[in-house]
């Protein structure tokens, strides 16, 4: 079946690293994405990883992909209060870039 | 550069009423999508249009219809609203194909009483 699972909440202190985890079930997914949603706004693409990669780094963001365990993680280094938001992982279906299966979202709370 | 614009931002309907949610993008994107967001369930795809002149069902199409009016505009219609359609609706667009990121509008919050 198609299912993307995330934990619902994560709380960290400002300056710490945050790690948001995601598991997916469809091994045929070609791209995996991380989106960020701030209150009252739409989703904004943070980063994505192609399925033949196991790591991608982009400034403070590091994405790790373990295809064997179907596990995806997003690490945010030096987390700031402006990083407080809901983070969604998503997997692509077929070769249609916009047909995504989203997880439930992880609400990240950053305390000063 | 407006990106993806959705109207209205908020709407309250009574059961059985109809309405159309409007979406327009100014990025010359080929593909457009309608998603709904419900608490604890992430986003689910309702309908999409891979290119002008085509539309296809997504994961949860029942109770909805869509129109790809032209390359810029993609509307979502509720013919007879039900309380189960209370949700936040997001329109998105992409240039199409694998790896093309979605660009989202800010959403329409719909309540059906």
């Amino acid at each position: 079946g198609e299912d993307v699972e995330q934990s619902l909440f994560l709380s960290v202190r400002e300056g710490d690293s945050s790690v948001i985890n995601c598991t997916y079930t469809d091994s045929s997914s070609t791209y995996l994405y991380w989106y960020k949603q701030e209150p009252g706004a739409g989703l904004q693409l943070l980063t994505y990883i192609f399925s033949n990669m196991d790591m991608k780094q982009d400034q403070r963001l590091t994405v790790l992909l373990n295809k064997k365990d179907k596990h995806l993680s997003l690490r945010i280094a030096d987390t700031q209060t402006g990083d407080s938001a809901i983070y969604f992982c998503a997997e692509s279906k077929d070769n249609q870039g916009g047909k995504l299966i989203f997880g439930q979202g992880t609400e990240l709370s950053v305390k000063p | 550069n407006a990106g993806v614009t959705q109207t209205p931002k908020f709407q309250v309907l009574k059961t059985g009423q109809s309405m159309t949610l409007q979406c327009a993008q100014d990025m010359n994107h080929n593909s457009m999508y309608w998603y709904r967001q419900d608490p604890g369930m992430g986003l689910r795809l309702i309908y999409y249009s891979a290119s002008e002149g085509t539309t296809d069902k997504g994961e949860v199409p029942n109770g909805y219809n869509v129109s790809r009016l032209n390359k810029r505009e993609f509307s979502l219609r509720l013919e007879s609203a039900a309380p189960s359609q209370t949700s936040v609706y997001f329109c998105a667009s992409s240039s199409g194909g694998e790896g093309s990121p979605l660009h989202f509008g800010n959403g329409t919050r719909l309540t059906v009483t």
Side-chain angles (χ1 to χ4, degrees):
Chain A
E2 303 170 350
D3 213 355
V4 178
E5 298 281 343
Q6 301 176 239
S7 54
L8 294 182
F9 300 101
L10 176 65
S11 181
V12 300
R13 291 259 174 225
E14 192 173 22
D16 287 350
S17 291
S18 307
V19 179
I20 302 171
N21 294 301
C22 172
T23 58
Y24 62 99
T25 57
D26 191 341
S27 58
S28 68
S29 295
T30 51
Y31 284 90
L32 293 136
Y33 300 83
W34 284 103
Y35 282 85
K36 176 183 180 182
Q37 184 181 34
E38 295 180 351
L43 279 68
Q44 176 188 10
L45 178 69
L46 275 182
T47 187
Y48 64 94
I49 188 166
F50 188 53
S51 57
N52 70 350
M53 299 168 66
D54 52 19
M55 186 180 98
K56 181 178 180 181
Q57 188 145 7
D58 184 0
Q59 299 182 339
R60 292 191 296 122
L61 305 178
T62 303
V63 178
L64 295 178
L65 175 61
N66 181 328
K67 283 194 72 175
K68 175 175 167 288
D69 295 336
K70 297 191 182 71
H71 183 266
L72 182 73
S73 68
L74 173 70
R75 179 177 180 268
I76 306 172
D78 187 26
T79 314
Q80 302 298 306
T81 54
D83 295 323
S84 293
I86 301 176
Y87 291 81
F88 292 91
C89 70
E91 59 177 347
S92 64
K93 301 303 297 177
D94 308 322
N95 61 357
Q96 236 323 311
K99 286 178 66 180
L100 302 183
I101 304 294
F102 284 87
Q104 310 96 309
T106 299
E107 183 175 348
L108 174 64
S109 173
V110 183
K111 300 191 186 314
Chain B
N1 194 348
V4 179
T5 303
Q6 292 184 237
T7 54
K9 287 186 169 48
F10 301 95
Q11 184 71 50
V12 178
L13 291 178
K14 294 188 189 307
T15 298
Q17 288 185 318
S18 62
M19 79 161 295
T20 300
L21 281 66
Q22 307 287 353
C23 175
Q25 52 93 6
D26 63 3
M27 295 172 283
N28 200 35
H29 283 165
N30 292 318
S31 304
M32 298 185 73
Y33 307 82
W34 277 105
Y35 283 86
R36 60 178 287 173
Q37 182 179 25
D38 300 295
M41 298 186 74
L43 278 76
R44 292 179 292 168
L45 182 63
I46 304 171
Y47 269 94
Y48 67 101
S49 170
S51 60
E52 189 179 354
T54 69
T55 61
D56 282 291
K57 294 178 181 179
E59 186 185 350
V60 288
N62 291 346
Y64 305 95
N65 285 300
V66 289
S67 295
R68 183 76 182 265
L69 303 167
N70 47 55
K71 192 170 186 180
R72 289 188 64 246
E73 298 172 286
F74 188 39
S75 62
L76 178 73
R77 182 158 178 85
L78 287 71
E79 289 291 351
S80 178
S84 61
Q85 294 177 305
T86 293
S87 188
V88 181
Y89 291 85
F90 288 100
C91 177
S93 69
S94 75
S95 56
E98 290 188 275
S100 309
L102 285 175
H103 297 259
F104 282 87
N106 285 335
T108 295
R109 187 173 294 274
L110 175 67
T111 302
V112 183
T113 61

